[in-house]
Amino acid sequence: GPALLFVKTSQGKEEGRRFYACSACRDRKDCNFFQWEDEKVSETRLAAREEYNRNHQPFFTHRQNVDRYKNFVLLPLSKRRFCQECQQLLLPAEWEKHSDHQFLCDITTAQLKSPSQLLYPLENKKTNAQYLFADRSCQFLLNLLFGLGFRRVLSVGTPRLHEMIQSKASEEEEFSVRSLLLDIDFRYSQFYTEDEFCHYNMFNHHFFGGEAARETCRKFLYEENGERVIMVADPPFGGLVEALASSFKKLMAMWRETEKEGHDSREMPMLWIFPYFFESRILDFFPSFSMMDYQVDYDNHALYKHGKTGRRQSPVRIFTNLTPSMIVLPEEEGYRFCTACQRYVSSGNQHCEICNSCTSKDGRRWKHCVLCKKCVKPSWFHCNNCNCCTLEKHSCEKTDIGCFVCGKAGHKRSACPSLSCT
Ligand code: SAH
Ligand code: ZN
Ligand code: ZN
Ligand code: ZN
Ligand code: ZN
């Protein structure tokens, strides 16, 4: 899909030079597309790029994958193989070609229903950053959505939530929830029809399946028979908030346009799962959102597991435009209701009388600084040189350009303390 326009700033210069680069890959090693905004592209280079793109298409189309799946499920257990190297379901005629690859045998229906367990997570931080929800967190999200009365979930980059909804819906009759997965990981097209999965890039709102896929999404967002829909997104944390916000706004607009009379001035309900240190960035784009204290845990991310076991606590939170008091957090995991704030908070999060809010972002008890006029991390001290609270050990020189990640002055993106744990 479309590239994003970036700007290269060099120190001392007012204006930087603008260039286009891949929206999905934040590492030039993964995608080397680069073009100055004002560059004249030769016919030869254009042709070479098109040739490159043609050669890098997935081997099978989504339609072909759907047909293959239909044939696959007809096979007896003993003939159901999954090639681990190609990450592909194999039909018997193809065994030969994959004979020197590792494969799994006897693929059960249960395995086909949880592709996120069958496929290996694409952990490449700069592109897919596929971190799967721990069961506990996934269950929590699902119960929350269902309890709030939502019956349709637009799952943006949440394959595990999608599959949990799908399996529960197929097993329990009273659980009538549908999900549409939008994800850039095309491997999922082997397990879901075009009505269940769209190959989608959430950094530029590109549907790889073209108008037909857009239409699928549009139809899904149309709320028939009072079935309310919500969007749940869990993007890669290295992603640009601005690009993500722009795509989410487009999905929200799609929802708004499905209703002839319009949804008054309502905003499409959404849960955006992202680290707490992006709070101010997210609120810049979505002022109606608030951050919940709930810590989202992941299976394959050693650092983001639940705090109670002595491990580090997860910095990942839920941002939502739903009324905070409706998001009930589990007491048995240490959350409580603050009547003054009208929301559930971490047990360690003390209500500050001066700020009139439960101010902790990370679950630890924060302390109020009268000079900064706000609560700060327990490990911080007020530095009179810098005129703000910061770590006791720091160098007082400031760089005046704000960090690209957290927006704060004093350090560059590469040294951003927020990213040290991602
Ligand atoms: N916790 C979620 C997974 C989040 S990981 C779960 O368990 O369901 C981030 C997800 O976003 C991955 O599935 C990844 O494939 C997808 N993703 C990464 N870059 C993307 C992009 N540019 N567009 C759409 N999806 C993307
Ligand atoms: Zn409070
Ligand atoms: Zn305070
Ligand atoms: Zn201070
Ligand atoms: Zn200082």
Side-chain angles (χ1 to χ4, degrees):
L4 291 184
L5 187 56
F6 293 89
V7 59
K8 243 194 185 96
T9 48
S10 44
Q11 275 200 332
K13 271 201 181 164
E14 271 283 286
E15 256 169 64
R17 195 164 172 202
R18 306 211 286 180
F19 64 96
Y20 291 101
C22 177
S23 62
C25 309
R26 288 167 301 284
D27 193 332
R28 294 272 297 284
K29 278 196 233 96
D30 297 325
C31 174
N32 64 5
F33 183 83
F34 180 94
Q35 192 178 306
W36 293 113
E37 185 187 20
D38 50 11
E39 192 176 342
K40 183 106 185 63
V41 183
S42 69
E43 290 292 322
T44 349
R45 229 179 94 197
L46 201 65
R49 172 56 62 179
E50 276 167 7
E51 166 84 13
Y52 178 92
N53 286 350
R54 261 194 308 278
N55 293 337
H56 286 76
Q57 293 296 315
F59 197 71
F60 293 113
T61 64
H62 193 171
R63 186 91 286 267
Q64 284 170 324
N65 273 338
V66 172
D67 288 336
R68 292 167 54 80
Y69 183 86
K70 279 188 201 141
N71 291 328
F72 191 88
V73 292
L74 294 176
L75 296 170
L77 211 55
S78 61
K79 293 202 166 155
R80 290 190 191 174
R81 288 192 185 172
F82 174 76
C83 177
Q84 288 179 300
E85 226 156 299
C86 306
Q87 293 284 292
Q88 192 190 313
L89 298 171
L90 299 181
L91 296 171
E94 297 156 348
W95 289 1
E96 181 82 47
K97 260 200 303 191
H98 299 259
S99 57
D100 50 355
H101 293 174
Q102 295 251 18
F103 57 83
L104 296 173
C105 304
D106 300 345
I107 304 298
T108 62
T109 308
Q111 280 173 300
L112 292 174
K113 275 191 188 175
S114 18
S116 79
Q117 315 262 4
L118 195 60
L119 303 166
Y120 62 74
L122 303 172
E123 292 190 25
N124 176 345
K125 281 205 182 74
K126 296 268 175 76
T127 309
N128 285 75
Q130 207 157 50
Y131 295 112
L132 300 167
F133 293 131
D135 209 45
R136 198 176 60 86
S137 286
C138 207
Q139 289 282 356
F140 165 77
L141 289 170
L142 190 53
N143 293 339
L144 178 71
L145 302 175
F146 191 71
L148 290 171
F150 293 102
R151 293 298 174 265
R152 283 199 215 176
V153 182
L154 185 67
S155 298
V156 185
T158 56
R160 186 157 276 182
L161 179 66
H162 175 73
E163 88 189 20
M164 196 182 259
I165 293 172
Q166 297 257 9
S167 344
K168 208 170 150 86
S170 72
E171 282 155 17
E172 300 169 27
E173 208 176 318
E174 62 282 12
F175 187 83
S176 52
V177 182
R178 289 203 293 133
S179 171
L180 173 65
L181 175 64
L182 307 186
D183 203 288
I184 205 162
D185 185 352
F186 192 63
R187 295 175 307 169
Y188 283 98
S189 68
Q190 298 179 85
F191 305 91
Y192 302 120
T193 64
E194 290 98 328
D195 286 333
E196 298 165 320
F197 169 72
C198 296
H199 191 200
Y200 175 78
N201 181 350
M202 63 169 114
F203 289 116
N204 59 5
H205 187 61
H206 179 68
F207 286 85
F208 294 80
E211 194 43 46
R214 257 170 207 283
E215 192 50 37
T216 301
C217 184
R218 217 173 275 133
K219 274 214 191 97
F220 185 82
L221 297 178
Y222 175 64
E223 301 177 325
E224 288 165 304
N225 329 320
E227 283 185 344
R228 291 172 57 219
V229 18
I230 185 167
M231 164 160 53
V232 182
D234 188 9
F237 304 147
L240 284 169
V241 173
E242 188 176 357
L244 291 168
S246 149
S247 299
F248 298 155
K249 281 183 197 253
K250 284 176 185 156
L251 289 168
M252 285 171 158
M254 225 181 198
W255 171 80
R256 202 172 304 117
E257 284 153 16
T258 56
E259 192 99 305
K260 282 268 151 46
E261 270 78 68
H263 292 274
D264 310 322
S265 54
R266 276 197 305 137
E267 201 172 52
M268 178 183 184
M270 177 178 187
L271 306 180
W272 178 345
I273 298 166
F274 225 51
Y276 70 81
F277 34 80
F278 285 101
E279 182 182 23
S280 62
R281 293 291 290 150
I282 291 182
L283 298 194
D284 282 347
F285 293 102
F286 293 104
S288 62
F289 279 34
S290 39
M291 185 175 87
M292 303 293 101
D293 269 17
Y294 185 78
Q295 301 194 0
V296 180
D297 291 331
Y298 295 85
D299 255 0
N300 55 333
H301 205 305
L303 295 178
Y304 295 0
K305 286 184 179 165
H306 196 48
K308 286 280 142 70
T309 54
R311 271 189 247 262
R312 269 182 84 154
Q313 307 216 355
S314 164
V316 185
R317 303 288 183 271
I318 299 169
F319 294 86
T320 184
N321 50 5
L322 297 172
T323 312
S325 61
M326 300 197 315
I327 315 285
V328 179
L329 305 186
E331 269 169 47
E332 63 279 13
E333 286 171 35
Y335 301 97
R336 66 182 171 83
F337 190 72
C338 173
T339 35
C341 294
Q342 281 294 301
R343 68 176 180 104
Y344 282 80
V345 295
S346 291
S347 52
N349 195 354
Q350 290 273 335
H351 190 85
C352 169
E353 297 299 338
I354 306 166
C355 297
N356 191 28
S357 155
C358 287
T359 45
S360 169
K361 306 290 180 198
D362 57 14
R364 293 178 299 170
R365 181 175 183 170
W366 285 26
K367 58 183 185 187
H368 192 86
C369 170
V370 280
L371 295 169
C372 292
K373 297 193 179 68
K374 64 176 186 188
C375 285
V376 297
K377 289 183 179 173
S379 54
W380 284 14
F381 294 89
H382 193 85
C383 169
N384 288 321
N385 267 341
C386 298
N387 206 14
C388 67
C389 280
T390 181
L391 283 170
E392 197 169 23
K393 256 199 182 156
H394 69 279
S395 63
C396 287
E397 312 141 24
K398 280 198 204 170
T399 56
D400 27 303
I401 326 164
C403 161
F404 284 122
V405 178
C406 68
K408 290 186 194 118
H411 60 264
K412 290 264 182 68
R413 178 194 191 121
S414 54
C416 180
S418 317
L419 289 186
S420 59
C421 45
T422 56

